[in-house]
Amino acid sequence: MTRSARPLRARIHLDAIRHNYRRARSLAPRSRALAVVKANAYGHGAIAVARALAGEADGFAVACVEEALELRDSGLQGPMLLLEGVFSPDELALVDRAGLAIVVHCREQLDWLLRARPNRRLDCWIKLDTGMHRVGFEPSEFAEVNARLAACPHVGERVAMTHFARADETAHRYTSTQIVTFEQALSGVRIGRSLANSAAVLAWPQAHGDWTRPGIMLYGVSPFAGAAAEASASGLRPAMTLESALIAIRDLAAGEPIGYGGRFICERPTRVGVAAIGYADGYPRHARDGTPIAVGGRLTRIIGRVSMDMITLDLTGLYEARPGDPVELWGQTVPASTVAESSDTIAYQLFTGIGRRVPLIHEEH
Ligand SMILES: *Cc1c(COP(=O)(O)O)cnc(C)c1O
C-alpha cells in the first residue's frame, strides 16, 4: 500500500540499510556478505531494500523461490540463495531458470538435485546440523554428501554452511562447540564456509568464514538482549521509523480506567492521548503499561491495553501536545528492541508483523 487515509506509516531509511550492510562487511573484512532479505526484508520491503543494496551487496538470501523470483522479476541480478532450498523437485526448473543457489539440508533434496537435468550448473550450500537441531545433515555425513555433489556434473560451486542456536549469548560456550563441530566435519576439505548470522558477525569473528549472512543488523537492530545500547555501540542505524499521529486527547480523573478490561487505572489526573495504530497494524498487543513511545520527539509511555486500531498513551506533562502531533512507535527515539522486550517478543517479530494497511515509505535520507 502506498497511500492511506490514516496518518500511520513505516518510513524506511534506505541509506541506513546501506550503512548497516557496510558495517557488516567491515566487521568481517575477509568475508563476503549475503544480505538476508527474506520475509519482505524483515518487513522493510524486499524489492526496495535489495535495489538499495544492489550496487554493493555480494548477494542476497531469501527463504523460498517466490521471494527470489519477486526480486529477479524486479531486475535484481547476482548471487541469490534459497535458505531452505526447494520443497519439491519441480522447483528446480525455476531455480535453474532464475539462476539461484540452493541450500541442500536433507536426503530428499540431495536426491532431487542429483537427478535433475538443469541447463546450467546449480550452486549449492550443504547445510550441516552442528547443534541447532532443526535441519541439516549430520556432521558425519558431510564427507559423503560433499563427494556425491562434487562428482555431479551439473552441480556448480559448493559451500558448507551451518546455523547457530545461541550466538546472541556472547558468553555461552555453545557457539564455540558448534564451530568446532563444523570445522571437524570439514577438516581437510577445501570448500567455502558460511556460519555467521548477525550475532556471529558482531560477536564471533572466528565464525566469519567465507560468507556471512547478516539479517537483523541490516535493519539497525542488535541481536543481543539489552539491545539499545549495543546497537549504537556497534554502529548500527535504525532503518524503520514506525509513526502515526495523535487523533484525540482527553483528561481523566484519578481512579478512571482506560480501554479494554480497564487494565490501566489513572493514578492521578491524567491527560490521555490516542494514536492511530493498533495490533492489526502490527503494534504488539502484549505491550505492557509503560512501554516507551514518543510524541513530537518526547518520550512517554503506553497506558491501557492495545486495541485493534488504536493505542492510548500518557500525555500528562506534555501540555503542548495537540491532535495531529506525530507519534513514534519505534525508530530513532524509541528502539524497536525496547518495544519488543516490553512485549515479550523480539524486533524480528515486530518488523515482520507490520500489517498490510501500513504503507512503507522508502526514503534515501
Ligand atoms: C534468517 C537467517 C539468517 C539471518 O539471521 P539474523 O539473526 O537476522 O542475522 C542467517 N542465516 C540463516 C540460515 C537464516 O535463516
Side-chain angles (χ1 to χ4, degrees):
M1 194 196 280
T2 52
R3 287 160 60 93
S4 92
R6 292 163 87 217
L8 173 59
R9 59 198 182 145
R11 292 167 51 210
I12 308 300
H13 314 295
L14 296 173
D15 52 323
I17 294 174
R18 257 194 314 275
H19 167 89
N20 296 334
Y21 180 82
R22 286 177 193 150
R23 179 83 186 136
R25 278 293 307 269
S26 70
L27 285 163
R30 285 186 294 279
S31 315
R32 285 178 283 176
L34 285 185
V36 180
V37 294
K38 64 190 178 189
N40 199 27
Y42 293 44
H44 292 63
I47 292 177
V49 167
R51 280 199 181 138
L53 292 173
E56 48 193 290
D58 302 313
F60 295 91
V62 294
C64 58
V65 76
E66 289 80 8
E67 292 182 340
L69 295 181
E70 182 191 23
L71 294 175
R72 283 288 192 248
D73 290 347
S74 80
L76 197 80
Q77 294 167 350
M80 200 178 291
L81 175 67
L82 301 186
L83 288 167
E84 289 171 33
V86 294
F87 301 88
S88 78
D90 317 340
E91 247 182 79
L92 288 168
L94 297 174
V95 166
D96 181 20
R97 218 174 309 146
L100 307 175
I102 49 173
V103 164
V104 174
H105 66 70
C106 63
R107 290 282 156 189
E108 290 75 12
Q109 289 181 331
L110 177 64
D111 292 341
W112 298 338
L113 174 56
L114 293 173
R115 276 195 261 116
R117 291 290 166 262
N119 294 308
R120 63 172 115 196
R121 287 154 73 96
L122 303 182
D123 295 339
C124 81
W125 292 46
I126 306 166
K127 186 159 188 175
L128 299 185
D129 176 14
T130 58
M132 179 74 166
H133 298 333
R134 202 174 50 179
V135 295
F137 292 101
E138 292 296 319
S140 60
E141 295 177 290
F142 172 73
E144 176 242 334
V145 171
N146 181 51
R148 290 180 67 190
L149 289 166
C152 176
H154 61 262
V155 169
E157 194 192 338
R158 283 166 289 112
V159 175
M161 73 178 287
T162 194
H163 194 55
F164 293 130
R166 316 185 66 156
D168 55 321
E169 297 169 75
T170 54
H172 205 287
R173 290 176 40 245
Y174 204 70
T175 302
S176 311
T177 308
Q178 287 196 262
I179 295 170
V180 168
T181 303
F182 187 70
E183 284 306 328
Q184 280 173 350
L186 270 57
S187 62
V189 180
R190 275 192 39 211
I191 186 168
R193 287 150 159 78
S194 177
L195 308 86
N197 56 2
S198 296
V201 168
L202 290 159
W204 298 92
Q206 62 276 49
H208 284 168
D210 299 288
W211 290 91
T212 62
R213 307 186 306 267
I216 194 70
M217 69 181 294
L218 301 180
Y219 309 103
V221 171
S222 159
F224 308 115
E230 295 259 15
S232 50
S234 50
L236 303 176
R237 293 194 199 146
M240 181 190 293
T241 304
L242 183 65
E243 61 184 25
S244 189
L246 289 179
I247 60 168
I249 296 176
R250 67 195 337 96
D251 289 297
L252 296 181
E256 291 294 326
I258 301 176
Y260 288 118
R263 181 180 75 177
F264 184 84
I265 313 256
C266 297
E267 303 127 338
R268 60 180 94 89
T270 300
R271 176 160 290 186
V272 180
V274 182
I277 183 166
Y279 61 78
D281 304 298
Y283 193 84
R285 183 171 172 279
H286 293 104
R288 288 192 279 273
D289 291 326
T291 300
I293 186 166
V295 177
R298 293 182 58 191
L299 276 174
T300 179
R301 56 175 185 153
I302 301 284
I303 47 177
R305 207 175 262 168
V306 171
S307 314
M308 188 182 288
D309 317 305
M310 288 183 261
I311 56 172
T312 41
L313 50 115
D314 191 357
L315 290 179
T316 310
L318 279 73
Y319 300 109
E320 70 284 19
R322 295 285 173 271
D325 280 2
V327 173
E328 181 189 296
L329 291 313
W330 58 72
Q332 315 293 320
T333 313
V334 182
S337 50
T338 309
V339 178
E341 271 171 44
S342 186
S343 315
D344 293 324
T345 185
I346 51 177
Y348 298 70
Q349 191 184 23
L350 297 185
F351 290 160
T352 55
I354 295 278
R356 250 162 39 98
R357 65 186 182 185
V358 181
L360 299 181
I361 312 292
H362 290 100
E363 302 174 344
E364 270 303 332
H365 39 178

